Amino acid sequence: WEVYAEVEGRSISMSSIARNLNSTPKRMEALKEELAQRIAAHVGSEERRVTAVPGLTVHRRTSPTPPCSMTYEPSLILTVQGRKRVEFGDQSFTYGSSHYLLASVALPVIARVVEASEQVPCLALSLKLQMPVVRELLRSEEIAVAPATGKGPAIAVGEFTVELLDCFCRLMRLLDHPREIAFLHGLIEREVIFRVLEGSGGARLRSVATLGDQSQRTAKAIAWIKDNYVRPLRVEELAEIAGMGVSTLHHHFRALTAMSPLQYQKQIRLQEARARMSIDGLDAGSAALEVGYESASQFTREYKRFFGDTPMRDARTLRSTAAPLQA
């Protein structure tokens, strides 16, 4: 049964009134405030903490950060306080407390926090996306997502909605009830994906997840390089894996990642070597061999060109300053 009320001489359903109330800016700000408080409570004085909810990580910065090279996994990133900037190729995306960032494939980027202070820290969270769940939801006729265009980068910025913020508040609330995480986190994450698919970033995510789509085939090639970056890269074999011609693969690969397959592999290798030197303490020669370089001198040249310093000096700087490899 639907209940109606008289408002200024018009009959309006109570469910319609409830929807309007839930969509007000006041409700949006209340959810942002709750999310910021919960992120701050769980991250504490740390800069990054992996939570008990699978795939959910919370972040905190108290000052702007220098540009940092990293690889974004397929994920959704919300900055509910402060602002961040992500660059790849000649494209730049700045997002703050009104937008989320959607990365639909693993993507090497340059990221930085551009607005943060001790009084008002940058507070963010990231949630890894499960592509099998995306594909499962896309098979539902209830998903009203814009048609895939096959164009544009693998990163998109979308606007917050009350519904999406509510999903993330419920995910964060699970951290106060550990017994419920195993039962409920998957349901909430499905709703997150549903909300994204129906939002402004849904078209790109749909094209990457839709089997047979050119973007999905390209994403398959991207995932192969990410998982096999140590192996020599032969573009003809990569095109065969993707089920595309070499020139077609190059075109779509660059459209998604703003780089060629060989450039993508190089950045993945250099970032992995950097992590192994700064975190695991490997010397430059050992790190170069472990990530697939046959020439130590070539590794040093490319590393200095990409990071602006020699491998060992850069690693010492990172260790001495505890500079993060992820922002």
Side-chain angles (χ1 to χ4, degrees):
W1 291 91
E2 181 64 277
V3 179
Y4 289 84
E6 290 292 327
V7 179
E8 296 183 351
R10 294 182 298 148
S11 181
I12 301 177
S13 70
M14 294 301 292
S15 62
S16 176
I17 294 174
R19 284 195 298 271
N20 289 335
L21 287 174
N22 284 336
S23 300
T24 60
K26 186 175 181 180
R27 172 65 171 157
M28 181 87 74
E29 290 306 312
L31 289 169
K32 288 182 190 177
E33 183 176 349
E34 177 186 348
L35 204 49
Q37 290 174 350
R38 291 186 179 276
I39 292 171
H42 284 283
V43 77
S45 60
E46 298 179 32
E47 293 184 336
R48 177 178 181 270
R49 175 173 289 185
V50 178
T51 74
V53 173
L56 183 66
T57 305
V58 290
H59 308 261
R60 172 181 173 271
R61 291 288 187 275
T62 55
S63 63
T65 63
C68 182
S69 298
M70 67 189 69
T71 298
Y72 276 175
E73 298 292 336
S75 57
L76 195 68
I77 304 168
L78 276 70
T79 300
V80 296
Q81 192 169 281
R83 284 193 306 147
K84 298 178 73 175
R85 180 177 300 140
V86 173
E87 301 169 1
F88 73 109
D90 59 356
Q91 303 185 67
S92 175
F93 298 85
T94 301
Y95 61 106
S97 60
S98 296
H99 295 82
Y100 62 81
L101 186 81
L102 169 67
S104 53
V105 300
L107 193 66
V109 301
I110 305 294
R112 71 188 78 183
V113 173
V114 295
E115 184 179 297
S117 66
E118 289 283 354
Q119 294 74 27
V120 186
C122 180
L123 298 172
L125 57 79
S126 59
L127 178 68
K128 290 183 179 179
L129 295 177
Q130 303 298 321
M131 298 309 288
V133 177
V134 178
R135 295 188 185 101
E136 178 187 346
L137 290 177
L138 284 171
R139 289 195 291 268
S140 170
E141 295 181 356
E142 303 302 318
I143 301 290
V145 65
T149 63
K151 300 178 180 178
I155 280 183
V157 172
E159 291 188 7
F160 285 168
T161 63
V162 167
E163 294 79 10
L164 186 62
L165 286 171
D166 182 65
C167 287
F168 277 100
C169 281
R170 282 183 279 127
L171 266 185
M172 291 296 297
R173 289 172 198 154
L174 289 181
L175 296 175
D176 296 330
H177 305 279
R179 283 187 60 256
E180 299 179 1
I181 292 175
F183 297 96
L184 297 179
H185 85 271
L187 297 174
I188 300 174
E189 288 173 15
R190 287 170 64 86
E191 184 179 348
V192 167
I193 294 171
F194 169 80
R195 301 296 180 189
V196 171
L197 285 170
E198 290 209 321
S200 54
R204 170 50 62 205
L205 184 58
R206 176 183 181 176
S207 66
V208 168
T210 300
L211 295 176
D213 187 278
Q214 297 281 43
S215 293
Q216 185 273 329
R217 294 181 182 182
T218 307
K220 186 177 179 181
I222 292 169
W224 188 91
I225 298 175
K226 178 71 165 52
D227 294 338
N228 299 276
Y229 61 85
V230 176
R231 297 174 57 177
L233 179 61
R234 297 178 176 84
V235 179
E236 293 79 8
E237 294 181 6
L238 189 66
E240 186 176 344
I241 290 170
M244 305 165 72
V246 171
S247 61
T248 302
L249 174 62
H250 266 286
H251 173 75
H252 288 280
F253 201 103
R254 190 171 289 277
L256 279 180
T257 67
M259 65 190 80
S260 70
L262 287 171
Q263 290 171 328
Y264 181 91
Q265 182 198 48
K266 182 189 298 184
Q267 291 198 23
I268 295 292
R269 282 180 168 183
L270 292 173
Q271 289 184 14
E272 183 63 26
R274 194 186 202 204
R276 296 190 187 196
M277 288 187 297
S278 61
I279 298 174
D280 301 333
L282 292 187
D283 60 80
S286 298
L289 288 174
E290 287 203 5
V291 300
Y293 275 89
E294 296 180 358
S295 168
S297 59
Q298 180 188 359
F299 169 71
T300 299
R301 285 196 305 272
E302 294 183 352
Y303 191 102
K304 186 175 181 179
R305 188 180 305 122
F306 190 67
F307 292 115
D309 205 348
T310 63
M312 295 313 295
R313 280 204 300 263
D314 181 54
R316 282 197 298 269
T317 299
L318 288 171
R319 286 194 294 267
S320 65
T321 61
L325 291 177
Q326 296 191 6

